[in-house]
Amino acid sequence: MTAHTCTLNSFEVGGCPLMSTRTDGAVDPPAAPTPANGINAEASAGFADDENWIAGLRSRLTAEVAVLAMGPVNTGPYMLSALSPPDATPGEGLSAALDHAVAQRKPIVKSGFLDRGVTSCAIGVPILLDGALHGVVAVQLPVRADLDLRRVVDEISWALPGVQFGVLMRQMAEGELSQARARSVVELLAATLDEPRWTVAAATAVTDLANRLGCDRVALGVRRRLRSKVVALSHSGGFSRKSELMQRIADAMDEAIDQGGPILLPDDAADRLTLTAAHDALGDQGAPRAILTAPLRRDGRVTGALTFERTAANPFRPDEVDLIQAVAGVLGPVLEEKRLNDRPLPVKAAQSVGNGLAWTMGPRNAGLKATFVLLALAGVLAWNTTVPFRITADARVEGAIRRVVAAPLDGYVSAAAAIAGDIVREGDMLAQLDDRDLRLELARWETVRAQRQREYETALAERDRAAIGIAATQIEQAEAEIALLNERIARTQIRAPFDGIVLSGDLDQSVGAPVARGEVLYEIAPLDAYRIVLSVDERDLALVEPELRGEVVLSALPGREFAIETGRVTSVAGVEDGRNVFRVDAELAEPTDLLRPGMAGVAKIGIGERPFPVVWTRGVVDWLRLTLWRWAP
């Protein structure tokens, strides 16, 4: 294609100057667009985002200059509505592309001209709606070896539905769009937006489109892994996606998406080179069909397609095709946003992670890449670095021997000499029981013994052998009772069985109170023999075995560590603080006189060497394993 060699003194579209060149070489700024043909302020406000739209288009195409010109329908002049960058000076090639696109009402490419010493090309695309010309979009790009002009034209065409929808809104304000069509568009969008769930919104949209456009069937498909899948069908609550009909509809959607634009069957345009094999196959089922497939896009990315079908006797008119493309340009982002919001939370999280990784590993973000490399190296280093693996358990000190001092007989407490915490020696008095009744009984039996002794002496003097035997027996009985009472009186003095510390028992406030035989009065433990009792959590029990070494720190002696060695591991569980724990006995590696029974603290038992990540994440990994096992089918 040769360059358009036309010398212009002004930048015009349809004969109206957009930017003029002064004789001194300076450039006047673009004139602000003024309402034409009676367009009111509300209609003009419909293009408040034109600057953002044209800037986004220029950024996506990496163009030098992008221009949007709008004006009265068909007649013009089409005045500058948006320019990116705002301080750019459009050249003659861009002006020529704009003029020819307006004149011929089709995309125009002007290439090979020089602009500021760089070989450039300009592309103009008309903005058509219902067959009427509303404006023109043009971009200027530097000529590159990898420049694909067809792709650039397609990108501009894909972006036009956003402007076309703005034109629809303006026409509604101007009264140029019929009231029925305006109501249909608004009601369709309102019905779709009103549904909170994506599946319901999709079904509502296709059914509403089928009713309003008189279609026998409207299908909505989503694009995944370079293939389309039908997800909604008008007037149908359920259907088999694997059926032959659904596969043919999906193939028609793929055909339109792969070729980058809508496909109409039958198509009256003689100059279009569009492949329609899949649409022909879909239309060959039964009576001839009129089919229209319009791709759906969001942020310039294809997300799916809409396929419309009705009888061949009622083909799609150009104004319906334009309306469907405009509606598709609006429905695409709406439905895709609802679909993304309806995904399960794990899928959203995985997608976010994937997007973050793709952004991080892209051509930029060298700092982040370096950070990830350092983190990976740190992870490898941590995995190959072993640290001591220890489990933690609550610990308490108990005496190796725990002797119970019980009441030897029924009685009353008359005195208390020791309380819990006292250190006693063997034979020290702990408590005294009241022995007055016993002493009275002792006195009675001593009297009986004296009486029987006199009877024995009398019988002996009389040489009465029978009386002598009876008296001797009675004397022996009295002496036995006296010996028993003396023993019981001695037992009323409760004494320490060995040197130790009183663990429990406080009779100081119980003087005069009755006690029953066998009732525990004191517990005593020796001062030179202790054991450590560990309460090991059930999650750590499998790791504990006898003869493991560790350390214990007691609350009373936080600055000292005492070496311990595990002994017997019990198999009976108990409950402490809502946890199942098992008792493990441990012995002190070296005797010490600093401990006292009842002291509590924390013990750590060494299991061995493990990689640092294993030690650090063991609790979380065990919890995940148990949770997955609980919920796994």
Side-chain angles (χ1 to χ4, degrees):
M1 182 177 295
T2 59
H4 179 69
T5 57
C6 176
T7 304
L8 299 177
N9 292 326
S10 63
F11 182 39
E12 301 176 340
V13 180
C16 178
L18 295 181
M19 183 176 298
S20 59
T21 305
R22 302 200 309 233
T23 57
D24 57 359
V27 179
D28 289 328
T34 58
N37 292 355
I39 299 176
N40 56 28
E42 293 181 357
S44 299
F47 298 96
D49 291 333
D50 286 348
E51 294 289 348
N52 294 333
W53 183 86
I54 199 66
L57 179 63
R58 172 177 166 266
S59 175
R60 189 156 56 247
L61 298 177
T62 63
E64 295 177 340
V65 183
V67 175
L68 171 65
M70 304 295 293
V73 180
N74 290 326
T75 62
Y78 300 99
M79 304 185 67
L80 180 65
S81 177
L83 176 66
S84 179
D87 58 347
T89 304
E92 293 183 356
L94 189 62
S95 175
L98 285 165
D99 280 330
H100 284 73
V102 169
Q104 300 182 31
R105 296 197 176 193
K106 65 180 182 180
I108 296 296
V109 177
K110 296 295 180 181
S111 64
F113 60 87
L114 292 176
D115 183 33
R116 290 179 289 273
V118 178
T119 303
S120 302
C121 66
I123 300 173
V125 178
I127 301 173
L128 298 172
L129 187 61
D130 291 339
L133 181 64
H134 293 266
V136 63
V137 177
V139 295
Q140 179 177 320
L141 304 95
V143 175
R144 304 186 304 270
D146 60 342
L147 180 61
D148 186 351
L149 296 178
R150 174 63 182 272
R151 185 191 67 82
V152 175
V153 173
D154 289 343
E155 286 281 347
I156 298 175
S157 300
W158 294 341
L160 286 182
V163 177
Q164 291 169 337
F165 185 76
V167 172
L168 287 175
M169 296 299 100
R170 186 179 68 172
Q171 287 182 343
M172 290 172 58
E174 295 173 346
E176 295 179 5
L177 187 64
S178 65
Q179 184 177 4
R181 179 179 297 181
R183 184 168 59 251
S184 298
V185 173
V186 174
E187 289 177 355
L188 172 63
L189 294 177
T192 305
L193 292 171
D194 189 54
E195 296 295 343
R197 298 295 301 276
W198 172 69
T199 53
V200 179
T204 300
V206 295
T207 301
D208 201 351
L209 282 171
N211 293 335
R212 295 180 187 278
L213 295 174
C215 295
D216 298 333
R217 181 169 53 228
V218 178
L220 170 67
V222 295
R223 182 79 163 179
R224 294 292 176 272
R225 299 182 181 91
L226 302 180
R227 288 286 298 168
S228 296
K229 179 175 68 175
V230 178
V231 295
L233 200 63
S234 61
H235 307 102
S236 177
F239 55 91
S240 175
R241 295 188 177 95
K242 297 183 179 180
S243 65
E244 182 180 359
L245 176 60
M246 295 301 106
Q247 292 297 326
R248 292 194 176 189
I249 294 176
D251 291 340
M253 293 177 177
D254 288 333
E255 192 172 61
I257 292 172
D258 292 340
Q259 298 183 72
I263 293 180
L264 176 63
L265 190 71
D267 190 359
D268 295 333
D271 59 344
R272 292 189 59 179
L273 298 178
T274 304
L275 300 178
T276 60
H279 285 73
D280 293 336
L282 179 61
D284 287 343
Q285 294 185 344
R289 310 285 291 172
I291 304 174
L292 173 61
T293 300
L296 300 175
R297 294 179 176 83
R298 179 176 183 263
D299 296 333
R301 180 178 58 87
V302 176
T303 60
L306 284 170
T307 297
F308 300 79
E309 298 179 57
R310 61 190 187 192
T311 60
N314 184 22
F316 292 95
R317 302 187 306 275
D319 60 324
E320 291 177 324
V321 175
D322 292 337
L323 176 62
I324 287 173
Q325 291 189 68
V327 172
V330 177
L331 281 181
V334 172
L335 292 177
E336 181 66 8
E337 188 67 26
K338 286 184 174 291
R339 187 192 69 80
L340 294 176
N341 288 335
D342 271 6
R343 294 178 302 170
L345 184 59
V347 176
K348 291 182 181 179
Q351 183 66 37
S352 298
V353 172
N355 293 339
L357 290 176
W359 177 79
T360 302
M361 299 304 174
R364 300 182 179 86
N365 308 313
L368 278 177
K369 292 178 184 177
T371 302
F372 278 118
V373 170
L374 291 177
L375 289 176
L377 292 176
V380 172
L381 180 62
W383 188 263
N384 289 277
T385 302
T386 59
V387 295
F389 176 38
R390 301 188 297 178
I391 63 173
T392 303
D394 293 335
R396 65 181 182 276
V397 180
E398 289 186 357
I401 301 174
R402 192 180 182 96
R403 180 69 60 84
V404 172
V405 179
L409 45 84
D410 296 338
Y412 297 88
V413 178
S414 63
I419 61 175
D422 288 350
I423 296 176
V424 296
R425 300 295 179 186
E426 182 179 358
D428 285 354
M429 179 75 70
L430 301 178
Q432 173 71 49
L433 299 182
D434 190 354
D435 61 354
R436 288 176 295 180
D437 292 343
L438 295 175
R439 291 190 180 278
L440 290 175
E441 184 71 12
L442 176 63
R444 186 178 71 82
W445 278 105
E446 287 179 346
T447 301
V448 170
R449 184 183 63 176
Q451 182 180 355
R452 297 293 183 264
Q453 183 67 32
R454 287 192 297 273
E455 290 177 357
Y456 175 79
E457 292 175 353
T458 301
L460 187 63
E462 294 176 356
R463 298 180 180 274
D464 186 350
R465 291 185 176 181
I468 292 172
I470 294 173
T473 301
Q474 290 177 340
I475 292 172
E476 291 177 357
Q477 179 183 6
E479 289 179 347
E481 291 290 343
I482 292 172
L484 177 61
L485 288 173
N486 286 327
E487 179 64 23
R488 295 180 67 184
I489 291 172
R491 289 184 180 182
T492 60
Q493 297 179 355
I494 301 173
R495 299 181 180 276
F498 51 76
D499 296 348
I501 183 173
V502 179
L503 300 180
S504 65
D506 185 0
L507 301 181
D508 189 53
Q509 304 298 324
S510 302
V511 175
V515 293
R517 181 178 181 181
E519 181 179 345
V520 176
L521 303 180
Y522 293 96
E523 290 184 353
I524 302 176
L527 291 173
D528 55 353
Y530 298 101
R531 63 182 173 186
I532 309 298
V533 178
L534 309 179
S535 298
V536 178
D537 193 283
E538 60 181 346
R539 293 173 295 184
D540 301 324
L541 183 64
L543 302 173
V544 180
E545 58 186 21
E547 299 182 359
L548 294 178
R549 297 186 179 276
E551 296 79 29
V552 62
V553 174
L554 302 173
S555 300
L557 302 168
R560 292 286 302 273
E561 292 184 2
F562 298 94
I564 59 174
E565 182 176 323
T566 58
R568 183 181 58 180
V569 179
T570 63
S571 58
V572 179
V575 178
E576 292 184 6
D577 299 329
R579 301 179 302 127
N580 284 343
V581 297
F582 289 80
R583 172 175 173 144
V584 176
D585 293 337
E587 301 292 337
L588 289 170
E590 296 181 1
T592 177
D593 57 356
L594 298 177
L595 304 186
R596 293 293 182 269
M599 288 183 174
V602 177
K604 291 186 180 293
I605 305 173
I607 306 300
E609 298 283 335
R610 301 286 173 85
F612 174 74
V614 173
V615 175
W616 188 60
T617 61
R618 186 178 69 92
V620 176
V621 171
D622 290 345
W623 177 84
L624 285 175
R625 287 175 178 171
L626 185 61
T627 302
L628 291 175
W629 172 254
R630 177 181 291 112
W631 292 105

